[in-house]
Amino acid sequence: WMYRAWLEEILGLKVRGETMWIDPVIPGGWDGFQMSYRHGQAIYEIQVENTEHCERGVASVEMDGQRLKKGVIRLSRELVKHRVLVRMGNPAVNLYPFSS
């Protein structure tokens, strides 16, 4: 239970069905963090950058070099490794309108 609370509430990893988004709430002093998530045979290598030293807020999300407009990642179960880059900051658009 504590592990899941840490992943969802602090690191902000939210998985619902076949979608995922990252919405961290971390100490402002953190430069960022890395984590991996496995979905089926797919691996998602996630890098969160916090160069503005925010406590919350996602400015942009990229997967495999492509910017995702709403920041929502469609999950695959195929044998593939994806690279996800999350930049914290003031969002240019309202990412994650459905998150808590």
Side-chain angles (χ1 to χ4, degrees):
W1 183 85
M2 289 295 287
Y3 178 74
R4 184 170 179 169
W6 177 259
L7 274 177
E8 288 194 2
E9 301 305 320
I10 308 297
L11 301 182
L13 180 70
K14 316 279 187 182
V15 177
R16 303 294 182 267
E18 298 298 311
T19 60
M20 172 176 71
W21 65 99
I22 298 102
D23 192 14
V25 180
I26 61 174
W30 286 18
D31 292 327
F33 59 90
Q34 296 177 349
M35 64 179 154
S36 295
Y37 176 73
R38 179 182 292 273
H39 187 77
Q41 291 184 312
I43 298 173
Y44 293 82
E45 295 289 338
I46 302 163
Q47 170 75 38
V48 176
E49 294 180 352
N50 189 18
T51 58
E52 296 181 30
H53 294 279
C54 305
E55 292 183 359
R56 61 178 21 177
V58 174
S60 66
V61 179
E62 295 177 7
M63 185 168 80
D64 301 330
Q66 299 295 314
R67 188 165 182 156
L68 304 177
K69 288 185 180 181
K70 291 289 185 180
V72 177
I73 299 160
R74 301 252 174 242
L75 295 172
S76 166
R77 293 183 176 274
E78 300 163 3
L79 180 58
V80 66
K81 183 183 282 188
H82 293 287
R83 301 206 183 278
V84 177
L85 175 61
V86 177
R87 289 189 180 95
M88 293 184 67
N90 190 19
V93 297
N94 185 18
L95 296 178
Y96 319 127
F98 46 82
S99 68
S100 53

